[in-house]
Amino acid sequence: MRKIIIYTLLCLSFTYQQTNAINTSKRESDSPINRTERMAWWTHDRFGLFIHWGLYAMPARHEWVKRREKMSDEHYNRYKDYFNPDLYNPKEWARIAKAAGIKYMVFTTKHHDGFCMWDSKYTDYKITNTPYKKDILKPLVNAFRNEGIRIGFYYSLLDWHHPDFTIDRNHPQMPQNPQTLKELNKNRDMAKYREYMKNQLTELLTEFGQIDELFMDYTYAEGENGKTSKDWDAEGIIKLVRKLQPQIIINNRLGLSSNSQGWDYITPEQFMPQQWPTINNQRVPWETCQTFSGSWGYNRDESNWKSVHQLIVMLAETVSKGGNLLLNVGPTARGVFDERAIERLNGLAHWMRFHGNAIYGCTVAPTEYSCPNNCILTYNPTTKRLYIHVLEWPFKSLYLKRYKGKIKYAQLLNDHSELKFRTETKKGSHTTENTGVDDVIITLPVERPNVEVPVIELILE
Ligand code: GLC
């Protein structure tokens, strides 16, 4: 019985969210399993962990280091010859992620450098040919699954190692003089590379069980010497992927338009959209991917790390605009999360333990609820609860404009302690302010609750 009620509530919640999101019949017919069903878990879960891990953890100065420093294959291969993450223990990663409230993870199976973190039979350029010798991916997938975390794969469309991938403006071997490109590319055959990608995607989507999200990266069509969706045979890839994993959800970086079957969600990267992003005036599902400090791969010397407070605000703000947060960690070449990342994730864990209800299953609040100063609102349409994330703790009173008659009960989320509220109808005196007759004043303790961002839970009428 309990299961049936929870299922019904989930469906109702998702139906509500979809009335806010793009929902044309065209998109509904995208795949054998309809889109609403496919995305229900994702829209509910809201919080994922991106993991960027590969050879670039060794130079430890950005995952684009091969391109940035224009390294030859031979030079970059030193990392392959020495890569040996002796402390790699995916169970530990999964435990940390689970505690932080993470519900799904997306792992870089192959990044732009072309190096594969699984034992692919289509290349020698892979983890089993390093001093480490063992596969990384299967133990990772198993460990996260065992913690109840869903699995996503990142796969780079760019490949700076494959001999058939044509040199272009993003490639480490891009010459000074673009005129010489033709000559350089004359023996490279993108048709073979397309085949290679399809073979690898087939491996990834058949040998690791159910894969919930696929993050393809990326199409750079603008200007000269880029690549378009045709270079990848993006449509062919989509067809293959949907055939192998009909329930999977796919990001929008294959370069296909919004009306085709080309994607399920968009991916604003390293910025906070001002509001729920739209395409043709329709709200679309979105997931913002964000780093702790700027680079995606482990970067030893980067110093602009976001604080725990900033990360919590980022998560709440994303959900308040109807989106998901994919927060990235770049493990070290020894195979551990470095202490700065662990400190952030532990901070998130502490907050999420008490405030997960203000994130999971939540979305943008209906417009009838005004947002008080220095606050963020999230709303759970299933439970009809409104969450006020209070970024700056005010003195004694929180004024809620036009909330009269809308609130049944109010409490702090971290300890479920009651918060009294009243509607001021009388004129102010020397101890009370003159307030609007439709407003509600919540009485707050003078001392801010000892949590990074306190949240007030309103049970609505
Ligand atoms: C960009 C970068 C890449 C990173 C990705 C994450 O496309 O090229 O390094 O993996 O964003 O979204």
Side-chain angles (χ1 to χ4, degrees):
M1 186 62 187
R2 225 176 119 227
K3 271 192 185 148
I4 296 175
I5 293 173
I6 292 171
Y7 180 74
T8 315
L9 290 177
L10 273 175
C11 290
L12 280 174
S13 137
F14 193 69
T15 310
Y16 170 86
Q17 288 165 32
Q18 285 305 292
T19 57
N20 283 316
I22 194 167
N23 197 6
T24 63
S25 52
K26 196 165 199 178
R27 292 189 62 81
E28 283 304 327
S29 64
D30 278 355
S31 108
I33 300 185
N34 94 29
R35 194 159 171 273
T36 311
E37 269 178 54
R38 258 190 291 132
M39 297 196 73
W41 69 267
W42 186 87
T43 310
H44 175 270
D45 287 353
R46 292 298 185 212
F47 191 23
L49 184 71
F50 219 168
I51 304 178
H52 273 68
W53 201 37
L55 297 182
Y56 43 82
M58 291 186 70
R61 50 184 189 270
H62 205 276
E63 72 285 353
W64 275 62
V65 64
K66 189 178 183 193
R67 162 68 184 143
R68 287 184 170 186
E69 299 178 17
K70 295 188 188 312
M71 288 185 193
S72 64
D73 281 343
E74 197 193 3
H75 196 65
Y76 194 77
N77 270 347
R78 292 170 311 147
Y79 304 127
K80 176 175 131 339
D81 295 342
Y82 299 129
F83 192 66
N84 194 3
D86 55 340
L87 299 179
Y88 175 54
N89 175 3
K91 289 187 185 145
E92 190 179 301
W93 295 8
R95 267 197 305 273
I96 297 172
K98 165 93 175 202
I102 296 290
K103 296 287 188 187
Y104 62 102
M105 72 93 166
V106 179
F107 181 73
T108 49
T109 56
K110 177 190 88 158
H111 203 261
H112 305 337
D113 62 4
F115 183 78
C116 297
M117 295 296 270
W118 80 104
D119 191 15
S120 172
K121 60 175 170 292
Y122 299 100
T123 183
D124 291 335
Y125 200 52
K126 58 182 175 184
I127 188 67
T128 43
N129 289 333
T130 64
Y132 183 67
K133 292 199 174 78
K134 290 167 282 191
D135 174 33
I136 290 286
L137 193 57
K138 222 159 235 164
L140 183 77
V141 166
N142 290 339
F144 276 75
R145 250 191 218 132
N146 284 341
E147 292 287 358
I149 297 175
R150 285 178 183 264
I151 308 298
F153 285 161
Y154 167 108
Y155 184 86
S156 174
L157 293 161
L158 285 67
D159 195 312
W160 300 331
H161 178 266
H162 198 284
D164 285 306
F165 184 88
T166 51
I167 297 170
D168 59 29
R169 63 181 153 98
N170 282 330
H171 199 282
Q173 288 159 44
M174 176 69 190
Q176 288 284 5
N177 177 3
Q179 312 290 347
T180 58
L181 258 188
K182 220 175 173 169
E183 178 62 23
L184 280 176
N185 282 332
K186 74 171 190 278
N187 295 324
R188 291 173 181 254
D189 181 356
M190 279 296 284
K192 285 194 193 148
Y193 177 65
R194 284 190 284 275
E195 203 48 40
Y196 173 73
M197 283 200 290
K198 284 183 190 152
N199 284 333
Q200 288 209 318
L201 286 166
T202 304
E203 271 184 338
L204 288 170
L205 300 178
T206 54
E207 292 176 15
F208 297 86
Q210 178 174 313
I211 305 305
D212 301 289
E213 177 173 321
L214 182 66
F215 195 114
M216 302 293 291
D217 195 34
Y218 66 90
T219 303
Y220 40 109
E222 330 87 54
E224 297 252 300
N225 305 321
K227 285 190 169 61
T228 68
S229 60
K230 292 222 165 59
D231 290 294
W232 324 124
D233 182 21
E235 291 191 13
I237 287 181
I238 290 276
K239 248 185 228 143
L240 174 72
V241 170
R242 296 222 191 271
K243 187 182 87 196
L244 298 174
Q245 297 267 347
Q247 82 301 324
I248 207 167
I249 59 175
I250 310 176
N251 75 341
N252 68 334
R253 295 194 183 171
L254 275 158
L256 295 170
S257 78
S258 58
N259 290 336
S260 67
Q261 304 181 9
W263 51 265
D264 294 314
Y265 66 96
I266 63 163
T267 51
E269 176 176 326
Q270 303 231 44
F271 73 92
M272 178 58 68
Q274 294 179 54
Q275 65 245 324
W276 191 328
T278 58
I279 291 181
N280 301 330
N281 287 325
Q282 307 234 37
R283 288 169 164 180
V284 289
W286 65 285
E287 174 194 78
T288 180
C289 44
Q290 303 279 357
T291 61
F292 284 131
S293 61
S295 295
W296 297 92
Y298 173 65
N299 192 326
R300 184 190 59 205
D301 301 332
E302 219 159 37
S303 59
N304 49 337
W305 278 68
K306 296 168 188 73
S307 65
V308 170
H309 185 84
Q310 281 174 311
L311 294 164
I312 291 170
V313 172
M314 180 183 268
L315 175 60
E317 193 173 347
T318 302
V319 175
S320 80
K321 296 168 182 174
N324 282 26
L325 174 64
L326 188 61
L327 183 62
N328 180 72
V329 61
T332 72
R334 296 292 300 272
V336 297
F337 294 176
D338 79 293
E339 61 195 27
R340 296 163 295 183
I342 289 178
E343 197 240 315
R344 289 350 181 249
L345 289 165
N346 286 346
L348 279 158
H350 184 64
W351 189 81
M352 283 299 279
R353 172 159 185 233
F354 297 102
H355 301 95
N357 285 351
I359 299 296
Y360 305 128
C362 289
T363 184
V364 67
T367 46
E368 63 179 286
Y369 301 105
S370 61
C371 186
N373 288 340
N374 294 319
C375 292
I376 289 173
L377 295 184
T378 58
Y379 174 70
N380 186 320
T382 310
T383 58
K384 287 189 70 185
R385 292 186 184 201
L386 185 72
Y387 297 97
I388 308 178
H389 303 245
V390 187
L391 308 183
E392 277 299 327
W393 195 245
F395 167 57
K396 215 162 64 178
S397 309
L398 186 73
Y399 294 90
L400 301 177
K401 290 240 158 273
R402 296 178 303 281
Y403 274 61
K404 188 181 170 190
K406 292 181 178 165
I407 308 172
K408 262 199 231 163
Y409 188 80
Q411 59 187 357
L412 281 171
L413 187 53
N414 62 291
D415 62 359
H416 279 185
S417 60
E418 182 179 6
L419 293 172
K420 289 189 172 173
F421 59 92
R422 65 190 196 278
T423 301
E424 257 348 295
T425 44
K426 10 178 226 275
K427 272 201 152 181
S429 71
H430 69 286
T431 59
T432 52
E433 204 179 359
N434 197 0
T435 48
V437 290
D438 290 335
D439 300 343
V440 167
I441 301 170
I442 297 195
T443 306
L444 299 177
V446 172
E447 277 183 42
R448 174 178 159 280
N450 189 22
V451 289
E452 201 57 71
V453 176
V455 176
I456 295 168
E457 180 174 47
L458 299 184
I459 301 176
L460 300 169
E461 286 292 353

